Amino acid sequence: MLRTENLSKSYDSKIAVHDLNLNLAPGEIYGFLGPNGAGKTTTIRLLLGLLKPTEGRVFLFDEPITDDIIALKRRIGVVAEEPPPANRMTAWELVRFFADLNHVKQPEARMEKLFNALDLWDARHALASAYSRGMRQKLSLIRALIHTPDLLILDEPVSGLDPFGIRQVRAVIDEHREEGGAVLISSHILSEVERSANRIGILHQGRLLVEDSINGIRSRIGDTNVLHIELLEIPESLPAQLQAIAEVKKIETRENRITLHLESGRDARPDIFQAVVATGGILVTMEMEEISLEEAFVTVTNQNVQQLAGAE
Amino acid sequence: MSADLTKTHNRAGFLRWHTIRRIATQQSRDSLFGWGIYIAATVSVGIAALLIFNSVRFVGESDLNVISQPFLFPLQFALTLAMLFVAVEATLSIARPREQGSLQVLFFAPIDEPILIGGNFITGLLVYVFFVVLTLPVLLLLVWATNFVLPTVLLWAVIPTIFAVAVALAFGLFVSAAAPSARAAVLILVAGILILLGLQSAYTALLNIPPTSRFFDALLFIRSILASLQSILSWLSPIRMLDIILTSSLNNDWAQLLKQIGISLVATAVWLFAAVRMLHRKGVLP
C-alpha cells in the first residue's frame, strides 16, 4: 500500500531523512515514532509529494508518486498539524468543500456519521476558524476520512484532545482499519501508538533505528523479562526448584511474592507453574512485567546517540 | 484501446475542471463575504463621481459648454482600480496561505499546481465582473444626474477589458507563487505598478511639453526612448492594455482592439505558465 525505497532528504549539509525503507500493508496500523526533529514530518511530506526526495522513491498503491499524484491523492487521507482555517467556512461547509474536491457524490450521510462519531454534530454550523484546537483536530480527521481513503496518514492526531476525544478518534481509526484501510500514525504520545499500532518504526536523526511489532521491540531491547508471582505461602523448596529452570537468572523473595528475572527467548511460565504445583504451592497471581514503549523508545534512541558519538 | 485512453483522459480533464470550478466558487464566495471589495468599489465610485463633478464644474466655468467623453476617464479609473484590486487579491492568494501553512492542507486533496492557479485565476475574473456590476449602475446614475452623454460603445468596451485584467491576474499569481512571503508579494506588485505608472505618466508629461518650450529639444531623446517603451508596455502593462482596449473600442478601431486582445491572451498564457512552474519549484510549504 505504501512503500519507500532508500528515501533520503537533505538540506545543504543537514540530513533530514536517510535511506528510509518503509512498507505498509492493507489493514495495518504503523506507528511512526521519533523525538522532535527526528524527520517524521519531513518523511510524511515526502510521502505526499509535498517535498522532493534527494534520493530514493515513494510508491503508493504500487505506483511511483511522480506518475499521477492526483489519482493517488484520492486514495489518501491526511491529518497534519494545521493552522486554523483563514476562510469563513463553517465546519460542515469545510468538509463539504473537501468532499467536492475529492469528487464524493452525496457525502451528507458519511458526513453525518463522522460528525456524530467525533461528537461535532451540534457544532457543525459553527465557523471552523472558531473551533478549539481539539475540535479542529477532530474536524481534520473528518476531512481526511470523508472520501473513504485506503490509506490514512496521521501526524500527531490526538495532540490537543481530551481523553474522551482520544477515545473517539481511536474508535474512528479502528473502524477505518477494520474496513481494510491502512494507517500511518506519527505521534509523540507513545501510549496512544502502543494501543493502536501493529508495527512500530523508531526514527532518530533521520534514520529508522528499529522496525518491528511492539513485542518484537521489547524482546530486542531487554535481554531479561521480569515475572512476579504471588503465592498463598512460599514452599521451602520452591526457590531451589525455580533456580533450576534454565531461563531463570535471578530470584528475589519478599513475603509471599517472588520476583524472577528471566532470560528472553523461550516462555518459561509453564515450567514455573509446574514447579509451584510440584512443591505444593498455591498460585494466586502471575504477572509478567513488560517494558513500556516509552522505555523501549528511550533505550533505542539513547543507544543510537551513543553509537553516533562512538563513531565520531 | 485508444478510445479507452481518450475516455480516461476526458474523465481526468473533466475532474480537473470540476476541481478548478469548485476552488473558484469557494474563493469568490470568500471575496464577496469580505469587506475589501465593497471598500474598493466605494472608493472607486467616489473618485469617479469626483472626476465627473470636476468635469461639470469645468463645463460650467468655461465658455466652451462642451466636453469630449466626460465618462471615459472616470470609467477608465474605476476599471483600473477594479483591476488593481483583483491583482492584489491574486498576489495574496498563494503567498498568504502558504505563509500560514494552510496551502499544504489544500494540497492534501487531489489538486496540483495548474488546478490551484486555474482556480485562483477564474476567481479573479469572477470578482472583477462582480466589481464592475457593483460600480457600473452608480456610473449610470451619475449619467442620469449630470445629463452627460454616455456612448453605448463605451459600455460595450467594458467587456473586452477582461483580457487586460486577465494579464494583471496572471502576473499577480506569478508574483504570489514566487514571493517568499505575503508582504514581499504585495511589495513586488506595488513596485511593478509604480514603475509602469511612472513610465506612462512621464511619457504623457513629455508629450504635453509644447515645441516652443526651451526644454523641448533637450528632452527629445528621452521622449523617443519613452515612446519606444510605450510599445513595450502594450505587451507588459495591464494598465496600458486596458487603456488601449477602451480607446480602440471607443474609436471603433477593431484592428487595434483585436491586436491588443491577442497580445493580452499571449501575455496571460505566458504569466500563467510561469506561475505554475514557479509554484512547482517553490512548493506549497511555509
Side-chain angles (χ1 to χ4, degrees):
Chain A
M1 195 163 259
L2 165 69
R3 183 161 55 90
T4 66
E5 276 182 7
N6 309 105
L7 193 66
S8 298
K9 176 73 185 173
S10 47
Y11 300 98
D12 300 325
S13 60
K14 189 182 178 292
I15 297 169
V17 175
H18 180 72
D19 216 13
L20 187 67
N21 291 295
L22 291 177
N23 205 336
L24 193 59
E28 187 178 24
I29 298 187
Y30 187 97
F32 202 40
L33 301 178
N36 292 338
K40 300 189 298 293
T41 302
T42 303
T43 304
I44 288 174
R45 286 170 173 176
L46 288 166
L47 298 180
L48 296 170
L50 298 179
L51 277 177
K52 291 176 192 71
T54 315
E55 272 177 58
R57 292 201 295 174
V58 177
F59 294 86
L60 288 170
F61 316 107
D62 292 326
E63 304 273 339
I65 58 162
T66 43
D67 279 4
D68 186 0
I69 189 78
I70 291 192
L72 295 175
K73 277 186 188 175
R74 283 194 195 105
R75 300 177 64 187
I76 307 172
V78 185
V79 173
E81 288 180 78
E82 298 164 17
N87 49 43
R88 294 172 181 82
M89 278 191 263
T90 64
W92 186 262
E93 287 167 343
L94 184 90
V95 176
R96 180 71 222 230
F97 174 62
F98 274 88
D100 282 351
L101 293 184
N102 282 291
H103 311 295
V104 182
K105 283 178 184 156
Q106 294 167 335
E108 287 79 9
R110 185 158 172 80
M111 284 169 71
E112 186 177 339
K113 184 185 163 198
L114 288 168
F115 271 88
N116 275 317
L118 290 163
D119 200 23
L120 288 181
W121 180 251
D122 292 337
R124 68 191 185 282
H125 293 311
L127 283 178
S129 55
Y131 267 26
S132 68
R133 187 167 173 230
M135 289 166 86
R136 278 208 315 270
Q137 199 71 4
K138 291 190 211 172
L139 185 62
S140 296
L141 188 60
I142 297 176
R143 174 186 53 65
L145 282 167
I146 190 61
H147 55 295
T148 327
D150 296 318
L151 171 63
L152 199 52
I153 297 178
L154 309 172
D155 194 2
E156 302 291 353
V158 293
S159 63
L161 289 177
D162 58 33
F164 290 114
I166 291 176
R167 277 186 168 210
Q168 289 158 356
V169 167
R170 196 187 298 142
V172 169
I173 293 172
D174 282 346
E175 194 184 326
H176 172 76
R177 193 244 308 255
E178 281 160 17
E179 287 166 358
V183 185
L184 177 82
I185 177 165
S186 152
S187 178
H188 68 275
I189 302 178
L190 302 183
S191 56
E192 190 50 40
V193 176
E194 194 168 13
R195 277 189 92 126
S196 316
N198 312 108
R199 214 147 50 92
I200 305 276
I202 297 181
L203 195 71
H204 190 227
Q205 297 178 342
R207 289 172 165 80
L208 191 64
L209 303 181
V210 181
E211 189 189 50
D212 209 332
S213 65
I214 294 177
N215 286 336
I217 289 179
R218 281 187 185 121
S219 61
R220 278 181 196 216
I221 290 162
D223 56 354
T224 56
N225 295 321
V226 177
L227 182 76
H228 301 282
I229 56 174
E230 187 183 352
L231 302 107
L232 270 184
E233 201 179 320
I234 299 176
E236 216 170 284
S237 58
L238 182 60
Q241 287 266 0
L242 291 173
Q243 197 71 68
I245 298 169
E247 284 75 20
V248 176
K249 290 170 75 179
K250 191 176 156 194
I251 296 178
E252 291 164 16
T253 311
R254 196 175 153 199
E255 296 173 4
N256 57 344
R257 292 175 67 93
I258 300 175
T259 302
L260 298 143
H261 295 260
L262 307 171
E263 253 176 40
S264 63
R266 195 178 72 88
D267 190 356
R269 283 177 295 184
D271 293 348
I272 293 164
F273 183 74
Q274 264 185 355
V276 171
V277 173
T279 53
I282 298 169
L283 192 64
V284 179
T285 60
M286 181 187 273
E287 192 185 352
M288 184 71 94
E289 188 182 292
E290 290 184 323
I291 297 173
S292 70
L293 185 57
E294 190 174 313
E295 283 172 77
F297 175 74
V298 171
T299 310
V300 167
T301 48
N302 276 346
Q303 278 171 357
N304 183 53
V305 170
Q306 282 160 12
Q307 277 170 10
L308 289 174
E312 284 168 11
Chain B
M1 184 73 182
S2 165
D4 283 351
L5 206 65
T6 312
K7 210 172 166 183
T8 311
H9 281 168
N10 285 346
R11 169 95 183 130
F14 169 76
L15 291 178
R16 288 177 85 85
W17 170 238
H18 170 86
T19 313
I20 289 174
R21 230 177 39 191
R22 188 64 184 88
I23 291 173
T25 312
Q26 186 55 47
Q27 311 266 55
S28 312
R29 184 178 171 272
D30 281 347
S31 270
L32 302 192
F33 279 101
W35 286 102
I37 189 169
Y38 302 103
I39 292 170
T42 308
V43 170
S44 158
V45 165
I47 296 178
L50 206 69
L51 291 168
I52 293 167
F53 174 70
N54 209 30
S55 299
V56 172
R57 269 187 56 188
F58 171 73
V59 171
E61 286 172 8
S62 69
D63 294 329
L64 292 170
N65 285 332
V66 65
I67 187 165
S68 140
Q69 301 294 357
F71 277 95
L72 176 61
F73 190 53
L75 181 69
Q76 193 174 351
F77 177 82
L79 295 176
T80 306
L81 201 68
M83 182 169 75
L84 293 179
F85 175 77
V86 293
V88 170
E89 283 220 323
T91 305
L92 289 169
S93 64
I94 293 166
R96 190 164 51 185
R98 177 165 58 194
E99 197 173 47
Q100 291 167 340
S102 52
L103 194 59
Q104 64 163 329
V105 180
L106 195 58
F107 267 70
F108 294 158
I111 70 167
D112 59 6
E113 292 86 358
I115 288 177
L116 182 72
I117 296 286
N120 283 326
F121 179 68
I122 291 174
T123 302
L125 294 180
L126 290 173
V127 172
Y128 176 73
V129 170
F130 185 72
F131 197 111
V132 171
V133 169
L134 269 181
T135 50
L136 220 50
V138 184
L139 281 180
L140 292 174
L141 200 69
L142 289 170
V143 170
W144 174 77
T146 55
N147 215 19
F148 279 142
V149 176
L150 176 67
T152 322
V153 69
L154 197 58
L155 285 178
W156 283 112
V158 173
I159 296 170
T161 59
I162 198 123
F163 292 101
V165 172
V167 181
L169 279 170
F171 177 70
L173 289 168
F174 169 73
V175 172
S176 198
S181 67
R183 184 183 290 186
V186 173
L187 284 177
I188 293 168
L189 184 78
V190 169
I193 291 168
L194 289 179
I195 290 169
L196 294 176
L197 281 177
L199 284 173
Q200 221 165 307
S201 310
Y203 182 63
T204 313
L206 285 178
L207 278 184
N208 288 334
I209 294 176
T212 49
S213 164
R214 61 195 176 101
F215 298 112
F216 188 80
D217 289 339
L219 293 172
L220 211 54
F221 177 65
I222 297 174
R223 202 169 77 165
S224 66
I225 289 176
L226 287 175
S228 318
L229 281 176
Q230 285 296 302
S231 57
I232 297 171
L233 284 184
S234 70
W235 279 88
L236 285 179
S237 167
I239 299 171
R240 176 82 184 124
M241 288 176 186
L242 190 123
D243 182 23
I244 295 172
I245 285 173
L246 270 181
T247 46
S248 55
S249 301
L250 201 59
N251 298 333
N252 291 328
D253 188 350
W254 303 116
Q256 176 67 25
L257 178 67
L258 286 175
K259 184 185 161 198
Q260 195 54 53
I261 288 174
I263 289 173
S264 305
L265 286 174
V266 172
T268 303
V270 169
W271 284 122
L272 283 179
F273 179 74
V276 169
R277 294 304 307 160
M278 187 53 80
L279 183 59
H280 186 72
R281 211 178 131 214
K282 287 268 186 177
V284 297
L285 299 173

